[in-house]
Amino acid sequence: MAEPLLTLRDLKATFTVPGYGVVRAVDGVSLEVAAGEIVGLVGESGCGKSTIGRCITGQVVPSAGEVVLDGMKLGRRRSPQQRRAAQMVFQDPASSLNPRMSVRAVLAELLRVHRLVPRDQVERRCRELMGLVGMPDQALDGHPHQFSGGQRQRIAIARALAVEPRLLIADEPVSALDVSVQATILQLFDDLRQRLGLAVLLISHNLAVVRYLSDKVAVMYLGSIAELAQRDALFADPRAPYTRVLLEAAPRLGQIGKTPDPGLKGDPPSAVNLPSGCRFHTRCPRAEERCSVEEPALLPVHDGPPPAGGEVHLAACHFRAGHPGAPGQTG
Amino acid sequence: MVWQQRRYTRRQVLKAGAAGAGLLALGPLASACGSESETAGSGGASGEPKVGGTLIIGRHDQPTVQAVGLDPHHVAVSGGNVYTLDKMYQPLYTTDAAGKLQPLMVQEHTVSSDGLVYTLTLKEGITFSDGEAVTADDVAWSLNRARTTETGSMSFLNFAIADVKAVDGGTVEITLSQPWAPLLSDLSIYSDAILPKDLRGMSEKEFFTNPIGTGPFVLKSWEEEGALITLARNENYWQSGMPYVDEVVFKLISDDNQRMLQLQSGDIQIADTVPPAQVESLKADSNVSIGVFPAWSVDLFLFNHLVDHYADRNVRRAIAQTIDTAKIVESTTFGISEAGGSFFPPSLEYYDPDTPVLKYDLEAAKADLAASGFPKGFKSEILIPSGDKVWNLAAQIIQAGAAELGIEYEIKQLDQAAYQTAFRSFEFETFINNAINDITDPDEMASFQCDNENGGSNCFWTNYDNPELAEVVRAAAAEMDSAKRAEMYSEIQATVAQDAPYVAMSYPPTIFGTTTAVSGFAVNPAGAYPLEGVSLA
Amino acid sequence: MSAPELATTGSSEQAVALEGFVVRSHPTLRKALRNRSLLTGGAIVGTLVLIAILAPWIARYDPLQQDLAATLQLPSWVHWLGTDELGRDVWSRLVWAARFDLATGFFVVLFPFAFGTLIGTLAGYYGGWIDTVLSRIIDVVMAFPYYVLIITLVFVVGKGIRGIFIAFALADWVTYARTVRSTTLVARRMDWAAAARSGGLSDRRIIVHHILPNTITQAIVYAMSDVVYVILAVVTLGYLGLGIQAPQPDWGSMIFDGQLFMTTRWWLSTIPGLCVVVTGIGLSLVGDGLADVLRPE
Amino acid sequence: MTIPALKVEGLTVEIARGRESFRAVDDVSYALEPARSIGIVGESGCGKSISLRAIMGLLPDAARVVAGAVAVHGTGLSLEGKGAARQRRGHLAMIFQDPGTALNPVQKVGEQIAETPRLVLGETRGRARERALELLRHVGIADPERRYDSYPYELSGGTRQRVMIAIALASQPKVLLCDEPTTALDVTIQAQILRLLVDLREEMGLSVVFVTHELALVGQLCEDVCVMYASRLVETGPTPAVLERPLHPYTLGLLRSAVDLDEELEAPKPIPGSLPDPARRPSGCPFHPRCFLATPECASTTVTLTGLGDGRASACLHVERLLTEDGRALQEAAAKAAVKPQDPAGTAGGDGRG
Amino acid sequence: MYVLRRLLQAIPVVLGIVVVVFFMLRLIPGDPAAALLGTHATPEAIQALRDRWGLDEPIWVQFWLFLQQLAQGDTGTSLFYDVSTRTLIASRIPVTVALVALASVFSVLIAVPLATYAAVRKDRLPDHAIRMVPLVGLGMPSFWVGLVLILLFSVQLGWFPVGGWGDTFAEHVYGLILPALTSALGIVPLLVRSLRAGMLEVLEADYVAVARSKGIRESRVLFVHVARNAFVPTLTLLGINIAFLMGATVVVERVFQLNGLGSLMLTAISNRDFPVVQGVTIIFALAVVVITLVTDLVAAATDPRIKLS
């Protein structure tokens, strides 16, 4: 099997909040992203999904574990080339572009500093990049405040692409956009994947968005992965109770007049004092005694060898194979 | 040789002036009211003086330093101390408001034929503030302490004294090492004040916390590090009926505007150091009287003779002739000061009005400069203490005048401490300062400014070195014949005028403001003002 | 995988879906021209600067020329604002003082501005122990009351324009450093700064080209009022006897010299006082206006 | 005919921006029956939040109501003046998108709830506290005694929103105005809050106005829906009908541009162009520059909401085409035809969010 | 916990202050011994004094001695007055503290109503008028303001004493009114400006809207909900500006002839009375540190969120 483009091995990230404690934002996450693959990372706020993205780009220094991208082990100090390998697209279009720099200045700087194209080709390449994200050449002269949210997001993507990254990390790329605009950005990602074979780590709380774009989906809860599977397997046959709760809670156009009832009580526990055993047991509608004692590992839901052509479906639940007494659900 | 900061417009100076210490040794107090002359128009209420009341005096400079207690013989006594001390202690002689030497405690004196032994008979009935009578023992002990103590401030004045002895209870004998004309005058210096012998057996610290003297007032309280000093009537004062006021309060008010405004509002009854600029407007205030008292005081523009430019007599003469003293006094003091000429102030004994001084004359100045080693001019600086308005203006006028000769002056202002340090260590090129004679005899000023060797100040820190002139100065002090002395002092004044080691710019008077409630107030030419004759309406 | 291959197919499907936009001509300039504070302030400061530049022509006399025969004259056609104690023409001195004071203000502010911005940027950008150390130093300097510090420093380094220059250089940078540090902290956390870093740009480049253009605005705005503070401090030092050397015409020493004549010649100190106030108004308005104009939308 | 719980008529709000002013809410009318809920859907800047604030009497300084009337159970409410908000007590209460800013950060949450019973309803301190605890319990906060003394910053987003609801309920309103109350919350929490709102409505007979940008939420929660675009209502009607067969191109566009979990994995269809700046609303039908049905007369004709029967209304000139033809097909055909370069001038204008 | 953290943070600042003050003053030219002994002092006498004061010891030894003294709460004996600086400073503190306190009260009494009124009447005439205050106030030197106030209120109208601070408590307060007003006017412009902005922010906050919609009285809205939230920024701002007020005492005490720390410092620095200058500057700086600390703690008590940041 080919070496994956990105490998996260038992990644951990902790922060100390004065007067509060140590927050275990990411608590042992392993994940692989293959070249040309879009992997979705879903979870609620505070589950550590954005921190993972930031660990990969080096904005956050992991406290343990390793990040291997394209064969390079990314450490604390990174060469420009290592830094370029993964690029981020941010949630907030308002802060993702420097208000004082024209689009051209942003793009041309990157092209020049890294000598990505000969000097006389810079302008042409800028236009190409604009074209790639569906923006006209005139936009190069604009400053961020002159663009709408969707346009800014396109420019941010162009900036990310300018340095020819191997991996794009899209952190909630559409959640700040108007509904009517979201679709254009989603399509752009789709398009870029098809045309450039770009690998994307898509971080989002929106299950529908993740479902639409991703090949593979990881569901996170409180710093660790609750379930990891190919897109269809996961949405058709969620095995972690948390995944089911998420799917239950998501608003759907098809359910007119039905208020969602996830059967979930309370707020997520604090990441400072993680619950014992399964970290979801405090809210899990199906929790049993065992769950509060024994922490379930992320393990295949099916016994035996992985199904052909697909990856293993993993879940971190004692009852991943089906609730005791009930037949295991199958996809 | 005691010289003084100018008394008006000094700003924060005289705390540093205190630094200047001996510097402000001001004159002894004037005699009793009997001989007082109404020199200036302050006061003037007629009839019997009223007894009682509290007199508040707003002073410009930092008064007493408690560090040395209230010891009149100590070096670190400053202007501020003097005005408090001379109300509590008295010397044997005093200077009256007209500038004449008057015996204070002495009934009569005799001099031996060789002029070396003075025998003084004390007046009777003079008592200390504790009621004890003053004896010859007290006097001999005090004068010996004043002239021998290591920290003695003005002990140099007593250098001719070989010994002081009590002959009997009322007679004191002073033996000199050489004939010395200024002796009696010297004995009027405040620092030759009479204290009880052996300080009544107390330690210095004890005694000076609660001092005993013969003056009209005693210390009541000392607050705010001397910013507020209260004196109370000496109930045992030996001159009956006096003083008239119950209490005197000395208050530090260093800001000129403040002091004048408090005078106008009646918060204080006497303000010293009235800025000349405000005299006009204060005179318009019917509640205030302005007293302008002539003083043995001269403002000088001094050259550092260690600097090549000023070692050149022609340069000094040239600059002296660019200084229009009449214009200086007109614009800096609105004509209140008298224009300078001789380095002796006109009110001082042996002042010679015919001294051949260098007058303002640009052509002559140019000729002199051309004859000098620096015909094209040069760059130099004028050092002044910061915050002194009058000297600042004077410096600017000198600057403008010298510019006519191609001499470019920069005016350098230093705060008092740095200013003192600078000129005393000869780190200056020219500076402006004031000299004052504290006693009736002009020898003090003459030796201070002309005797580079013995004068105590290298001729006021100019290092003007003229041995022949110094000889004349010394001879004049030893000469007992008045007419001969007059001749000698004329010669001294003429030499200085022509040599121009420094330029006498002006003779500033002492300006005081009083409210109309005050009567009987006067200042003597040495700058001292007795208060036993002052009363409040 | 090779670098993303760029298809230049012209308008893709996305281009069709493109939201509209306009690229306007230089927006900052247009905003500046519409900003009333900036225009008013600019007019005031501009006039003052013009007066300062044209001082040799506007002043009718040499500001240093004494006329001891005509001191303290009342305003007249000959001397518009009368003369001072040395018979110098007050109007001429006022005009030359504008030149001196404005120049002093601007030059004195220059170093603290540059140094403080540098320190603040470094502290804010790098954080960690650099920030801790620099912040503590800033705290220490800030702990000294402004005038206490300035006065002490003037005693240390000496009076006159050189002393004032050094004293302000040592005391004043902290305000800039503090302001810039906090804005840098904000800027550093912005996504575009993270993007620049992960774009492989050097720290120096990010600081100079990305962070500074965003953070310096506040420093510039503060510098405007700081010029006034400097002029005021110089005036106050003059009052305390630590100021500018005579005979240099300067509003501060004119206020100070004139206050002795407050009751008889009120204009001698009031008019230079007004000049400082007007300068203050002008520069504050410029500061406010600049803040509006330079604020990114 | 029953008296509506809330009747809004011709509500028009103008906002001053610099020297110009524009209509942020333009002639908005709707009626809400007792114990029912109505959803108001639109994208950012369409005026939906401003309209709620206007009804609540909480307009910012720069905005003012220039026309319109609001009545709760037949009682007209004044729309101007500082006292306007106070007059709402007992009629209307509002909960906000961000409970973080809607709760006083320096006051204990219990006190914020107790304020109304104590100061307005005249209860004693003790009774007011009881009432506040009761309300906290009512909105599903476990351990209300402890939470009473909490400060807002100590609470999670979901709990804050519950507190906000408790504050709203404390004044015993008849109508609850909800301004995107779940947008800032996670999906699981959102579900809990929605559940709570539904329960409260049933228990207390509250009527609810629910403002959101998400059609799916309206579908799950509200009987009726108003779709708002560029300060105006473009379509109203019973929710199932509107979602099933939208009668305005904008409604259709919104539905089709959203990705949804229930849909087959087909690509969402964006609406071309972007939202107009509210101050530079296109003439005629404000949606015409982005509309696949647009004809030249759309740009010149003033469109108004026109009733179509069954409680439905649309403000589209070409509504009959949507009634007779399949809107989706029309839209797709239009998109295909437009693959060729589009006139950028036609889509000029920022989306107003800078 | 928060209190402890803030206290710990203050320690390096205090140490820094001590170091800076000590070495800064040693750089001032001028010999205190020569300054005190004056004209007629002999070099021997000066040297004796220098020895007594330890001025010729290596600077590190001097610093160590200084630290030892400081540990006992003293900065040594005044060279000039020969009394402990502690005594000296203690006698001056009441004036300065009273002046600063009254000035703070005045600045709040002036700035808060102005800022509130401007904010409530935003963009209307009162707002425009009040916004001119900072512009005009910024450019006025305080000694000049003081002088004008004296001429106006003391000389022309005779309402207040010209200077000084009297003997009784009533006279103290009375005498401090004009000086405190002068000091206050120095920071009122800044306060008005920032407070207006802060007030606007609070007035436009959602929770104020919520409070109004609860039906409670407008006065309660203003005094409980608005005021309490506006209090923290006001306090913090005042805390920062009190440092400026203290510095201003140097000037104001001189104008109004008050014998406080400011005038003590000016005198001492001219006298090169290093222990006193050290003492006063350290007291000033410590006061600033303490005030900042106290305002932070009060702010934290008012707004519980602060403890977290």
Side-chain angles (χ1 to χ4, degrees), chain C residues 4-297:
Chain C
E5 190 180 314
L6 293 179
T8 46
T9 49
S11 82
S12 62
E13 195 192 343
Q14 284 71 40
V16 178
L18 176 65
E19 309 103 282
F21 66 89
V22 220
V23 176
R24 288 176 225 130
S25 68
H26 216 289
T28 314
L29 189 67
R30 278 211 344 213
K31 256 167 79 184
L33 289 176
R34 264 186 290 153
N35 188 298
R36 221 188 296 169
S37 297
L38 189 63
L39 289 183
T40 320
I44 294 173
V45 176
T47 312
L48 287 167
V49 169
L50 206 66
I51 287 176
I53 291 172
L54 298 178
W57 294 277
I58 294 176
R60 307 172 69 221
Y61 299 89
D62 178 347
L64 303 184
Q65 183 58 55
Q66 300 171 0
D67 181 357
L68 300 182
T71 60
L72 287 175
Q73 296 205 332
L74 297 180
S76 66
W77 281 113
V78 184
H79 296 289
W80 291 348
L81 294 176
T83 60
D84 69 2
E85 313 105 298
L86 295 181
R88 296 174 296 203
D89 182 57
V90 172
W91 165 251
S92 305
R93 287 181 70 74
L94 209 59
V95 166
W96 279 92
R99 179 179 262 220
F100 177 80
D101 281 312
L102 291 178
T104 309
F106 282 110
F107 281 113
V108 166
V109 161
L110 212 57
F111 176 82
F113 171 77
F115 185 68
T117 305
L118 176 75
I119 295 290
T121 306
L122 293 181
Y125 184 79
Y126 286 104
W129 65 268
I130 299 183
D131 184 35
T132 311
V133 171
L134 290 175
S135 296
R136 287 297 93 81
I137 294 177
I138 293 171
D139 283 349
V140 169
V141 182
M142 293 289 287
F144 292 97
Y146 189 64
Y147 276 117
V148 170
L149 189 60
I150 293 282
I151 289 167
T152 317
L153 285 173
V154 166
F155 268 98
V156 173
V157 298
K159 275 184 280 290
I161 192 67
R162 193 184 67 104
I164 286 169
F165 200 94
I166 299 174
F168 278 97
L170 290 172
D172 224 19
W173 62 271
V174 283
T175 320
Y176 294 93
R178 234 168 68 131
T179 314
V180 173
R181 176 182 169 272
S182 59
T183 48
T184 305
L185 273 178
V186 173
R188 190 182 67 144
R189 291 196 199 107
M190 298 301 268
D191 291 339
W192 49 259
R197 254 192 309 277
S198 65
L201 300 179
S202 65
D203 283 346
R204 218 181 86 188
R205 181 168 270 278
I206 295 172
I207 289 175
V208 176
H209 291 223
H210 295 247
I211 304 273
L212 262 184
N214 285 282
T215 54
I216 208 160
T217 316
Q218 291 228 25
I220 294 175
V221 171
Y222 178 74
M224 290 299 133
S225 33
D226 202 27
V227 171
V228 187
Y229 294 142
V230 168
I231 295 177
L232 276 189
V234 171
V235 175
T236 305
L237 287 176
Y239 170 74
L240 298 174
L242 306 170
I244 302 290
Q245 311 291 328
Q248 181 61 56
D250 146 59
W251 290 330
S253 39
M254 291 174 77
I255 296 175
F256 174 57
D257 290 345
Q259 62 160 355
L260 275 178
F261 306 96
M262 197 69 187
T263 44
T264 50
R265 307 271 192 281
W266 58 266
W267 58 89
L268 285 182
S269 89
T270 308
I271 290 183
L274 277 178
C275 288
V276 178
V277 170
V278 168
T279 311
I281 293 177
L283 286 168
S284 305
L285 286 173
V286 170
D288 289 354
L290 277 181
D292 281 349
V293 169
L294 294 179
R295 188 182 303 127
E297 290 171 53

Side-chain angles (χ1 to χ4, degrees), chain E residues 43-55:
Chain E
E44 292 77 28
I46 290 178
Q47 193 52 51
L49 205 51
R50 289 184 64 85
D51 288 345
R52 201 179 114 203
W53 291 337
L55 290 178

Side-chain angles (χ1 to χ4, degrees), chain B residues 18 62-71 74 76 151 204-206 208-209 222 224-226, chain E residues 32 36-37 49 52-53 69 74-89 264 268 271-276:
Chain B
Q62 179 86 347
T64 291
V65 171
Q66 207 177 30
V68 290
L70 298 166
D71 184 350
H74 195 280
T151 55
E204 292 192 357
K205 192 165 181 175
E206 269 178 286
F208 289 113
T209 316
W222 187 97
E224 301 178 17
E225 297 79 51
Chain E
L36 178 65
L37 290 180
L49 205 51
R52 201 179 114 203
W53 291 337
Q69 276 177 334
D74 201 351
T75 54
T77 303
S78 159
L79 306 185
F80 205 71
Y81 300 116
D82 202 24
V83 288
S84 156
T85 51
R86 194 168 33 194
T87 321
L88 209 50
I89 289 169
L264 179 65
N271 291 340
R272 304 296 185 271
D273 195 346
F274 292 135
V276 177

Side-chain angles (χ1 to χ4, degrees), chain C residues 143 145 232 239 262 269 284 288, chain E residues 135 138-139 144 151 193 243 255 288:
Chain C
L232 276 189
Y239 170 74
M262 197 69 187
S269 89
S284 305
D288 289 354
Chain E
L135 294 183
L138 189 69
W144 193 73
L151 286 176
R193 199 185 171 111
V255 176
V288 172

Side-chain angles (χ1 to χ4, degrees), chain E residues 221-239:
Chain E
V221 172
L222 281 181
F223 289 113
V224 175
H225 294 274
V226 175
R228 201 156 156 212
N229 279 284
F231 174 73
V232 170
T234 311
L235 187 77
T236 315
L237 198 66
L238 193 67

